[in-house]
Amino acid sequence: MSSKEGKSPEELYKLLGDSDAAVRELAADEILKDLIKENNLLKWNQAIERLLSGVGSPQRTNRLGHSYLLGSVLYTIRDAVSTKQFCKILAVDKISMKEPSGADRQVPALQVLLAVHTYLSNKKLVANPKLASTDINSLFDILFKVAERATFARELAFAILCNALTNLPDRLVDPDLQYYILRRLADEKKTYATLDGVAVYLSIRSRTNFDMSLGQRKKNKYIHWSYANPLARSNFDMLSRIINEAPLNVSSPSIEQLAGTDQGDFSYMQAHSWRKRRHCMWDAIANMYSKPNAHNPPPVGTEEYKAESVPFQMIWAKVDSKYFVTELDYVSSDRFITGCNIFGAFIKTIDIDYFSQLFTTNVSRELTLRDEIHSFSSNDRLRTVVIKRVSDAVKLRCEERPLDVPVIWKLLLCNVPTFDKNSLSCLLSIVAEYRVDDSVIDGTYNMLEDLYLRPTGQVIEHSNRSIGDLRRDIVGIVFQLLKSTRQRTFTSSTWRKSAIRLLVWTSCFKTIDPTSEIYAAPELSQSQVVLAKQRLESAMTFLISENTQTLVEDDPKTHPISWPYLTVQVLQELEADKDRYTLVNPVDQKLILRAKRILNGLQSLKSDESTNPKVNLIEIFVSLIVLLVYTGTAVNEELEDVIKFGNTITNDILKQHRHKRKNQAKATGPNKKRKVNASESVTPSLLEFANDGDLIEGEIGTILVEMILVFSTKKSTVLKEACENLMKCFANLIDEEALHLFYNVLQAKENLNGQNELFDVEDDEVDMDEVDMDEDDEDEDGEDEDGEDEPDSGSSDDEDTSNSADNDDDSGDGMSINDTHDNGTAESSDQNKAFEEALGKVLGVGDVSGKRRAGNSASDHTDSDSASESEEDMTDEQMLALDHHIAALFKDRVSGSNNKQTIASRKKLEKQAKENVIFAKTRTLDMLNAFIRSFAGNSATGKLSVSEQVGRLILSMIMPLLKLIKTTTHDPLRSRTYSFIRTEISRAQFQISPTDDIYELLTTVLNETARTNGNIYTNACATVAMFLCKLLYKSDTGKENSPEVMGRLMTIYTDFMKKWATDKKLATSSNLFIEFIRWVEEERKK
């Protein structure tokens, strides 16, 4: 960007106003280099004048760029142009001091103030050892002159003065200069008794080199505040009067607006943008309370008591009564906006011990973002902007002082129910990313747990904060903390275990003893328990692949365990403490003991078998199902199957391990002793000698798939991932018979009958009212989930995009599809009973239903006799007379079954059944995808080194998948199935013998392309056809007989092309043949 590259000085000066800070700095550096190279005093003076004109620009970026270069120029020529010479260049006595109008492009008064501020805030300039306090005094004189002549810039001039008094080094603000400034305040029309004077006094008072003798000069006519401290108790009445009489609006722009660091939409030259902001006095007061008051207050009435600063609560009470006293006064929002600006200043600066005093009744009410705030007119948008500034102040404070996060977060949760969600997310990120030590995360979690269990007394009544909403938010925050810190390494996992313990207790237990460590007051509601179950399962989703750290660091026998197993340990600990806690849903303890037996045996194996994925996977899966049994998501029969599977696999691992040990013993020799590790001391009774009833008889693959179908169709992401891991790890156990169980799901009808056949549910077992109630419950659960900000969906972040169709995995509490049905139909029973009573009256035989039940319990002979007797009781004439009554009765029965309410319930039932079947098919695709990828690593695009048997299993998926595309009515499922064929099936590479059944499959697929079932189906068939051609031709046996294979392929395509050419009804596109010919041409070139 140098002049050599074609940039002239004019172009470089224009770049000083670029929106990119880096471009501005590069342009400033180039201009400075050129000035240094010429080293001409006239050029330097011209540059200063041009820069002074630029700092008065109405464009924010122009002021930033020109002030940056002005500071660099003044520092470079500090010896040639002194501070006093610079003051002469400013010529403050000659410039106009009029208030800007809308047409003004330059405001000389503001231009001078920015130049002085640039000089005083430049760290290099003020660090110059030749700079003296007299030089600083010259600049201060300019500020006083501007304040006296330009009333619109008065507050800004004093703000720059206070900023300099606070930040300049001690040698530049010596006691003599301090005294001189206080004397100037007395001379300037009693400025000491204004907000400006208070700000200057407090800025000097806050300095470390403050001259304490100034406060002892009681007879000095220039020190008008006792003890030189406006905050002294003896001065509080006078200070209160000044605050009360001060105008609400400030007539000057802020330093941030002047310098350009405020990125607001308003121009600093527009007077309306100066209003509704705080006076610099409040920043000076906040600075006085930046440290805690550690000493005890002196006795009342003593000189020390009078000289001491008043408590912060007294100062904030004045702010609260003046700026927050009106309840959401939308007509005039000046008070609220100024109060929020003062609140933001205190948030940034004051000590954390004073924070609780900020959230008064009025402040909490005003900071609560209500729906009405969005109905403000455009003229009142400043209200929304200023609340955002409060949020920014909170974020800035937490970023600079992370240790304050727990206190601030607690105050916001208790007092401001709808505080900015983005700010709360920022707090969570600060906690999750703080890596100095564990104090922040531990303190934050302890605060959240205490607030969750004992909110009474901590939630202030005036905040309109319900305890239920507070607990819901806390559970969401705990979940997000677990999720955000999953890649973190902590000194210990204490807080994580405590978080899991809290969720487990909420989901599964009630506390008997109120003195227990975990006791909720008030008691948790059912909706809070359901939400905790959802969050617990969601937490397992992303913790499932992560092991805990060693719990006992000095014990070499300990080893990392999975989080699901740790959760089961927490369950056992709470369940063992029967005096304090009781289970909400009792479980079969015998079944749980059998599961614990497997888990204990796996822990014994893990010290040596930690690299065996099967050991870890069985531990995780068994632990998950045990947890779900406790929460009520899984049933005992499902755990029984898991126990059998776990026992069978674990016994196989143990047998392999012992066989390996025997081979090692033989290789070692009889005379050599080998060190025995922990895994070899496993008690045989733990695993090897399991009862026959605890083992799977026959093919394990079929049982595995049945078990996977049961758990994968539950609406739980953690179970989905666990089932996918099972498919990947035990894919070698699955044969074609087992895969047909998946195919049956894919071919199920997407209606009520299909659901009943798929999940063995009879049509008369479904209660219409129960379905309606279930849908309402799901809607409520969805609202709970959506109430969190999350991202938080329970689905895994690392889930493949192809599996994104399961966006509702965590919408429920882990229910299976069968759980939406209930045995018995109350409504149908009532209708049947009423019909049978009416029929009995018509027939004159009393209660027909009772007689029918009695007849069912009697013998067949008795039934026939009683029937004969009943027939003999009525003559033919009587039977004919009853015909029209019976016909009318049955007509009413039929019309009643077709009423609107029943039809509407039936439609809802059909809709729910369709969704359930589609969900099951989607999960089945996930399982098949996991099966294929188990042989190809992370992607099926690589070459598969598998046996021909596995290749044929993949081929067996083709027709069921094509049939799914053809029959499904769900477009997303159709597209996803096609994507699965295109990205997984057709890209798989394996060796296979070109047998007749594969050629027949190719012919069948080509014939399917002729059907008019949509473009997706036709494209899927074409993709499969080309895949089969390439597979047959490129297989090892095919290459040996490549002419024969190619000839047979040509014959199949030629025969089909003849059929296509003669039959115009076929829907096949010519692209099918063109693609085949292109492939043949490519093979010829090879």
Side-chain angles (χ1 to χ4, degrees):
M1 192 184 291
S2 64
S3 300
K4 296 180 180 179
E5 297 176 352
K7 296 292 183 182
S8 65
E10 292 297 328
E11 292 175 326
L12 291 175
Y13 274 102
K14 286 183 180 180
L15 290 175
L16 290 178
D18 194 88
S19 58
D20 190 348
V23 174
R24 293 197 300 268
E25 292 178 5
L26 287 175
D29 293 340
E30 290 298 328
I31 294 173
L32 186 61
K33 287 179 182 179
D34 292 339
L35 290 173
I36 294 175
K37 185 177 180 181
E38 294 182 10
N39 197 18
N40 187 316
L41 184 59
L42 179 60
K43 293 286 187 180
W44 286 111
N45 289 332
Q46 291 175 351
I48 292 175
E49 291 179 358
R50 182 164 188 171
L51 292 173
L52 287 175
S53 176
V55 296
S57 170
Q59 186 179 349
R60 182 182 70 88
T61 54
N62 257 332
R63 297 197 300 277
L64 284 172
H66 284 79
S67 60
Y68 172 80
L69 180 55
L70 178 62
S72 301
V73 169
L74 292 176
Y75 175 73
T76 304
I77 60 173
R78 58 189 178 278
D79 295 331
V81 179
S82 63
T83 306
K84 293 181 180 180
Q85 290 175 325
F86 175 66
C87 293
K88 290 180 180 180
I89 295 175
L90 293 178
V92 68
D93 295 328
K94 299 180 181 180
I95 63 175
S96 172
M97 294 293 177
K98 68 174 184 177
E99 186 172 349
S101 63
D104 291 335
R105 302 296 298 172
Q106 293 283 339
V107 182
L110 299 180
Q111 177 180 325
V112 169
L113 290 179
L114 181 53
V116 174
H117 175 67
T118 301
Y119 196 105
L120 292 173
S121 60
N122 190 286
K123 295 181 179 180
K124 292 182 179 180
L125 281 172
V126 298
N128 182 13
K130 296 182 179 180
L131 194 66
S133 61
T134 55
D135 298 321
I136 299 299
N137 193 17
S138 301
L139 295 171
F140 285 174
D141 283 339
I142 293 178
L143 295 177
F144 277 109
K145 289 179 180 180
V146 174
E148 181 182 1
R149 294 177 55 198
T151 56
F152 72 92
R154 180 179 181 83
E155 194 276 331
L156 176 57
F158 279 103
I160 295 173
L161 175 62
C162 293
N163 184 71
L165 289 173
T166 304
N167 298 318
L168 286 175
D170 292 345
R171 66 181 182 82
L172 297 181
V173 188
D174 55 22
D176 292 336
L177 181 58
Q178 297 175 20
Y179 178 70
Y180 173 76
I181 293 173
L182 296 181
R183 181 174 177 175
R184 287 291 299 266
L185 291 178
D187 295 338
E188 293 286 340
K189 300 178 182 179
K190 295 185 178 181
T191 305
Y192 66 89
T194 62
L195 297 179
D196 303 326
V198 173
V200 175
Y201 263 90
L202 294 179
S203 299
I204 294 177
R205 180 84 185 183
S206 65
R207 293 192 60 83
T208 56
N209 67 333
F210 171 68
D211 186 4
M212 299 299 294
S213 63
L214 292 175
Q216 299 173 2
R217 299 175 185 175
K218 296 183 180 179
K219 297 181 180 181
N220 193 322
K221 62 179 180 180
Y222 300 113
I223 307 299
H224 293 277
W225 289 97
S226 299
Y227 313 105
N229 182 14
L231 292 176
R233 291 179 184 270
S234 60
N235 297 324
F236 186 67
D237 291 340
M238 182 178 177
L239 178 63
S240 299
R241 188 181 73 253
I242 293 173
I243 293 175
N244 291 333
E245 294 176 356
L248 291 177
N249 296 330
V250 176
S251 60
S252 300
S254 65
I255 295 179
E256 293 78 16
Q257 286 177 319
L258 179 70
T261 55
D262 185 358
Q263 298 185 7
D265 297 333
F266 308 112
S267 168
Y268 86 111
M269 294 179 61
Q270 296 175 354
H272 69 82
S273 69
W274 303 345
R275 304 180 351 259
K276 305 176 184 179
R277 67 174 187 82
R278 66 180 183 271
H279 192 280
C280 63
M281 180 199 70
W282 297 111
D283 296 88
I285 291 178
N287 196 38
M288 292 293 291
Y289 292 96
S290 60
K291 296 180 181 179
N293 188 7
H295 64 278
N296 297 324
V300 179
T302 61
E303 195 71 19
E304 291 79 7
Y305 179 80
K306 296 178 181 179
E308 185 183 46
S309 297
V310 296
F312 176 76
Q313 188 173 8
M314 296 177 65
I315 295 294
W316 187 247
K318 301 302 296 182
V319 178
D320 181 65
S321 62
K322 181 172 182 178
Y323 298 104
F324 293 99
V325 71
T326 57
E327 183 173 357
L328 292 176
D329 182 9
Y330 296 141
V331 177
S332 176
S333 58
D334 289 5
R335 291 179 181 273
F336 165 75
I337 293 174
T338 305
C340 282
N341 282 324
I342 297 172
F343 182 85
F346 284 5
I347 284 286
K348 292 179 183 178
T349 310
I350 65 172
D351 187 76
I352 193 66
D353 292 344
Y354 301 122
F355 264 57
S356 60
Q357 301 173 22
L358 291 173
F359 292 90
T360 60
T361 302
N362 296 325
V363 171
S364 298
R365 181 194 61 242
E366 293 284 356
L367 289 180
T368 300
L369 298 176
R370 303 185 183 181
D371 293 337
E372 291 89 341
I373 199 170
H374 300 293
S375 63
F376 281 0
S377 65
S378 59
N379 294 332
D380 290 325
R381 61 178 179 153
L382 278 175
R383 185 184 182 96
T384 306
V385 172
V386 80
I387 290 181
K388 182 180 182 301
R389 289 181 178 176
V390 172
S391 303
D392 294 339
V394 170
K395 290 188 286 186
L396 181 63
R397 172 63 180 249
C398 293
E399 289 171 356
E400 293 178 351
R401 306 181 192 180
L403 295 177
D404 294 344
V405 170
V407 175
I408 297 175
W409 209 339
K410 180 179 180 179
L411 290 170
L412 292 176
L413 285 173
C414 294
N415 297 278
V416 191
T418 55
F419 194 72
D420 182 44
K421 299 297 182 183
N422 293 331
S423 300
L424 296 181
S425 300
C426 178
L427 300 188
L428 192 145
S429 300
I430 292 171
V431 172
E433 296 173 5
Y434 185 76
R435 301 181 181 273
V436 177
D437 52 44
D438 296 348
S439 57
V440 173
I441 189 73
D442 291 340
T444 300
Y445 174 75
N446 292 334
M447 175 274 295
L448 292 171
E449 181 178 304
D450 179 67
L451 194 58
Y452 181 81
L453 295 175
R454 291 169 285 276
T456 306
Q458 302 189 63
V459 179
I460 303 176
E461 295 180 0
H462 63 250
S463 67
N464 297 323
R465 181 63 152 164
S466 70
I467 291 178
D469 291 342
L470 175 64
R471 283 174 166 168
R472 182 196 64 190
D473 290 348
I474 291 175
V475 169
I477 293 170
V478 170
F479 167 74
Q480 289 297 333
L481 279 177
L482 288 170
K483 185 176 181 179
S484 301
T485 57
R486 54 183 167 177
Q487 304 297 335
R488 281 279 311 274
T489 300
F490 296 95
T491 304
S492 64
S493 296
T494 305
W495 80 268
R496 277 182 162 183
K497 185 176 180 181
S498 299
I500 295 297
R501 187 168 179 245
L502 178 65
L503 293 175
V504 167
W505 173 82
T506 305
S507 305
C508 307
F509 292 90
K510 285 187 177 181
T511 301
I512 303 174
D513 184 4
T515 62
S516 303
E517 180 183 357
I518 306 180
Y519 178 75
E523 188 176 352
L524 299 173
S525 65
Q526 183 60 29
S527 61
Q528 294 165 9
V529 174
V530 171
L531 179 62
K533 290 181 182 180
Q534 295 172 356
R535 294 307 189 194
L536 180 60
E537 291 186 20
S538 299
M540 293 297 107
T541 301
F542 52 79
L543 291 176
I544 192 172
S545 59
E546 180 181 344
N547 285 333
T548 64
Q549 296 173 332
T550 302
L551 300 181
V552 183
E553 306 210 2
D554 297 334
D555 188 356
K557 295 182 180 179
T558 60
H559 55 272
I561 60 177
S562 66
W563 280 101
Y565 179 67
L566 175 65
T567 306
V568 172
Q569 286 184 329
V570 172
L571 273 167
Q572 295 172 4
E573 293 172 3
L574 293 174
E575 188 177 10
D577 196 354
K578 298 184 181 297
D579 295 335
R580 292 186 174 89
Y581 310 107
T582 180
L583 279 171
V584 177
N585 300 316
V587 296
D588 187 348
Q589 292 298 330
K590 293 182 179 180
L591 202 60
I592 298 299
L593 286 175
R594 290 165 59 191
K596 288 164 60 176
R597 185 166 177 259
I598 298 177
L599 294 174
N600 294 335
L602 291 171
Q603 295 307 306
S604 301
L605 282 173
K606 284 186 71 173
S607 59
D608 183 63
E609 294 286 343
S610 59
T611 57
N612 189 338
K614 294 183 179 180
V615 174
N616 293 324
L617 183 57
I618 294 299
E619 175 195 281
I620 290 173
F621 194 69
V622 174
S623 301
L624 278 178
I625 306 307
V626 170
L627 172 61
L628 296 180
V629 168
Y630 274 92
T631 60
T633 304
V635 296
N636 292 338
E637 291 78 6
E638 296 169 347
L639 180 58
E640 179 85 31
D641 295 337
V642 173
I643 290 174
K644 290 183 178 181
F645 179 77
N647 271 330
T648 304
I649 298 300
T650 309
N651 272 348
D652 291 342
I653 295 174
L654 186 61
K655 290 177 182 178
Q656 295 173 7
H657 178 67
R658 294 192 172 179
H659 180 70
K660 177 182 177 182
R661 187 175 58 184
K662 289 181 181 179
N663 293 336
Q664 290 177 347
K666 292 180 180 179
T668 304
N671 298 326
K672 294 183 180 180
K673 294 183 178 181
R674 186 173 56 85
K675 184 178 180 180
V676 179
N677 57 34
S679 66
E680 296 176 356
S681 61
V682 177
T683 304
S685 60
L686 282 178
L687 297 172
E688 191 175 15
F689 300 141
N691 297 328
D692 293 340
D694 287 344
L695 299 177
I696 295 176
E697 297 180 0
E699 294 295 332
I700 301 178
T702 304
I703 303 300
L704 171 63
V705 171
E706 290 178 350
M707 186 175 63
I708 287 175
L709 281 174
V710 169
F711 292 112
S712 64
T713 53
K714 292 180 181 290
K715 294 184 178 180
S716 171
T717 304
V718 64
L719 284 178
K720 171 196 169 187
E721 294 195 2
C723 290
E724 286 178 334
N725 291 334
L726 284 176
M727 286 292 296
K728 293 176 182 178
C729 190
F730 299 102
N732 60 316
L733 301 178
I734 298 176
D735 54 13
E736 188 169 356
E737 180 182 356
L739 286 178
H740 271 285
L741 297 176
F742 287 127
Y743 304 158
N744 292 337
V745 176
L746 297 180
Q747 297 170 9
K749 297 179 180 179
E750 295 173 1
N751 54 25
L752 186 59
N753 293 332
Q755 175 186 261
N756 296 343
E757 293 175 2
L758 194 58
F759 301 105
D760 297 328
V761 179
E762 296 296 335
D763 192 26
D764 58 355
E765 290 181 359
V766 183
D767 189 349
M768 303 293 185
D769 294 339
E770 190 69 24
V771 171
D772 296 342
M773 184 175 65
D774 289 339
E775 291 182 355
D776 295 339
D777 292 342
E778 289 179 4
D779 293 340
E780 293 177 2
D781 293 342
E783 291 176 2
D784 290 340
E785 285 290 318
D786 296 336
E788 305 299 333
D789 68 23
E790 345 188 332
D792 113 359
S793 170
S795 61
S796 175
D797 291 338
D798 299 329
E799 187 176 343
D800 189 83
T801 55
S802 64
N803 299 333
S804 60
D806 292 331
N807 52 12
D808 58 343
D809 285 354
D810 254 355
S811 61
D813 56 347
M815 295 189 302
S816 67
I817 295 174
N818 292 332
D819 292 339
T820 60
H821 309 300
D822 192 20
N823 291 330
T825 308
E827 181 181 358
S828 300
S829 299
D830 293 340
Q831 292 175 354
N832 291 336
K833 185 176 180 181
F835 172 75
E836 290 173 347
E837 288 177 354
L839 182 61
K841 291 180 181 179
V842 172
L843 296 177
V845 295
D847 186 3
V848 175
S849 61
K851 293 179 178 296
R852 178 168 52 82
R853 288 191 295 270
N856 291 336
S857 60
S859 63
D860 294 340
H861 178 71
T862 304
D863 289 342
S864 61
D865 292 343
S866 61
S868 300
E869 292 175 0
S870 63
E871 289 175 0
E872 293 174 357
D873 290 340
M874 301 185 67
T875 64
D876 293 340
E877 291 76 7
Q878 291 173 327
M879 293 288 290
L880 290 173
L882 289 176
D883 282 348
H884 69 279
H885 293 291
I886 296 176
L889 186 63
F890 276 97
K891 182 178 181 180
D892 293 339
R893 167 75 167 176
V894 173
S895 62
S897 64
N898 293 329
N899 61 57
K900 293 182 179 180
Q901 182 178 1
T902 305
I903 293 174
S905 300
R906 189 74 180 183
K907 287 182 178 179
K908 288 184 178 180
L909 190 62
E910 289 284 356
K911 180 181 178 181
Q912 183 65 38
K914 179 180 178 180
E915 293 175 356
N916 291 340
V917 175
I918 290 173
F919 179 80
K921 290 182 178 182
T922 303
R923 283 297 177 83
T924 300
L925 286 179
D926 292 333
M927 298 305 111
L928 294 177
N929 183 46
F931 175 77
I932 292 179
R933 292 195 174 192
S934 65
F935 299 104
N938 294 328
S939 174
T941 57
K943 186 175 181 179
L944 297 177
S945 298
V946 297
S947 63
E948 182 175 343
Q949 181 181 2
V950 174
R952 289 189 175 274
L953 291 179
I954 296 176
L955 292 180
S956 68
M957 301 179 187
I958 290 176
M959 291 310 298
L961 291 173
L962 291 177
K963 186 175 180 180
L964 174 61
I965 296 177
K966 182 169 63 173
T967 59
T968 185
T969 58
H970 193 244
D971 290 338
L973 178 60
R974 183 183 293 109
S975 299
R976 185 174 178 184
T977 307
Y978 172 56
S979 177
F980 177 65
I981 292 174
R982 182 170 48 84
T983 60
E984 304 297 335
I985 299 290
S986 64
R987 294 185 183 180
Q989 301 179 22
F990 48 87
Q991 304 299 323
I992 194 168
S993 301
T995 53
D996 292 340
D997 58 335
I998 301 179
Y999 288 109
E1000 293 175 0
L1001 176 61
L1002 174 60
T1003 303
T1004 303
V1005 171
L1006 287 176
N1007 290 329
E1008 287 294 319
T1009 61
R1011 301 180 181 274
T1012 57
N1013 290 297
N1015 293 332
I1016 293 181
Y1017 183 71
T1018 302
N1019 293 339
C1021 292
T1023 301
V1024 171
M1026 284 308 308
F1027 163 67
L1028 293 175
C1029 290
K1030 295 175 182 179
L1031 181 67
L1032 288 167
Y1033 187 74
K1034 293 184 178 181
S1035 62
D1036 290 337
T1037 54
K1039 288 182 179 180
E1040 296 177 359
N1041 304 294
S1042 55
E1044 180 182 349
V1045 173
M1046 181 60 74
R1048 194 164 182 179
L1049 294 176
M1050 292 290 293
T1051 301
I1052 293 174
Y1053 267 83
T1054 302
D1055 292 343
F1056 184 69
M1057 185 182 294
K1058 292 178 181 178
K1059 183 179 179 182
W1060 170 74
T1062 56
D1063 190 351
K1064 295 182 180 180
K1065 295 182 180 181
L1066 298 183
T1068 305
S1069 172
S1070 59
N1071 292 333
L1072 175 71
F1073 309 108
I1074 295 174
E1075 186 177 357
F1076 177 75
I1077 294 172
R1078 287 176 178 173
W1079 172 72
V1080 173
E1081 184 179 6
E1082 291 177 0
E1083 293 299 327
R1084 287 181 66 243
K1085 293 178 180 179
K1086 295 179 181 179

